[in-house]
Amino acid sequence: IQVLHPVFLCSPYSVSKSLPITTVFDLVIFDEASQIPLGHAIGSIQRAKRAVICGDQQQMAPQFYFQKLEYQQSDVLHHASFYWKNAMLTHHYRSQYSQLIAFSNQYFYQNKLKTFPLPNIHNAIECVTLNGVYADRKNKIEAKYVAKIIEEKLQKKELDFGVVAFSQTQ
């Protein structure tokens, strides 16, 4: 496998657990490094000639609710930001709609984030005020409204839509 395609995709834990310490990587990339406890990454960093640590300091660090305070660790991104060169990536790739990141962009990123906009074919985002009530992890008024929209689209055979709910119950 290494001759054909010498790339490993694995968690830092699997590197430490499964690969010999003599394994050397030309480059190790940690994505979402704010979610990786430092102790989990040491084995990969030790095996690396170079390392790239990517993450967002605005994201919450991993939570260890069931661990004693003295056993909690900080994340890889936190430590790397003190000791290694930092560069901000300014292109927000998870959404093509700047409205979805607008609040965070203004209050956390000093309006430095850019999105990759779609051609203006149609308005894909619509804001609707329903005066619903969120109770017991659901909003019945909102659910009925969304169900009505889905029903209309299915009747018209408009099958190119998606529905996102913020809880499994909803």
Side-chain angles (χ1 to χ4, degrees), residues 12-168:
Y13 178 78
S14 353
V15 169
S16 299
K17 182 102 172 134
S18 306
L19 298 175
I21 195 71
T22 55
T23 303
V24 177
F25 297 114
D26 292 321
L27 176 65
V28 171
I29 300 172
F30 294 95
D31 190 22
E32 300 291 345
S34 65
Q35 304 304 306
I36 303 171
L38 180 62
H40 291 196
I42 297 297
S44 298
I45 293 170
Q46 182 175 350
R47 291 169 171 85
K49 292 179 183 175
R50 296 177 298 148
V52 173
I53 298 179
C54 305
D56 186 342
Q57 292 177 341
Q58 299 299 335
Q59 285 185 338
M60 272 181 66
Q63 301 300 306
F64 303 98
Y65 295 109
F66 302 107
Q67 290 184 358
K68 292 182 181 177
L69 191 58
E70 64 265 18
Y71 294 116
Q72 291 187 11
Q73 302 179 40
S74 58
D75 60 88
V76 175
L77 184 63
H78 175 80
H79 282 277
S81 67
F82 284 109
Y83 301 108
W84 292 346
K85 183 179 177 183
N86 289 270
M88 181 175 174
L89 304 179
T90 57
H91 286 77
H92 178 72
Y93 63 91
R94 289 193 173 146
S95 171
Q96 295 174 335
Y97 302 100
S98 58
Q99 306 96 301
L100 293 177
I101 194 67
F103 179 86
S104 295
N105 194 15
Q106 179 179 352
Y107 292 100
F108 297 106
Y109 302 101
Q110 296 77 44
N111 288 317
K112 292 181 182 176
L113 295 181
K114 299 174 189 110
T115 56
F116 297 97
L118 285 174
N120 195 8
I121 298 170
H122 55 46
N123 188 2
I125 297 176
E126 180 181 353
C127 184
V128 178
T129 304
L130 296 174
N131 297 320
V133 176
Y134 183 77
D136 297 324
R137 300 180 51 84
K138 55 190 163 226
N139 183 329
K140 289 182 182 179
I141 293 171
E142 181 181 277
K144 287 178 182 177
Y145 182 83
V146 171
K148 179 182 160 204
I149 292 172
I150 293 170
E151 200 173 295
E152 289 170 0
K153 287 192 171 292
L154 291 174
Q155 287 173 353
K156 294 178 185 176
K157 299 202 183 317
E158 294 176 8
L159 305 177
D160 60 341
F161 66 92
V163 177
V164 177
F166 290 104
S167 72
Q168 189 172 7

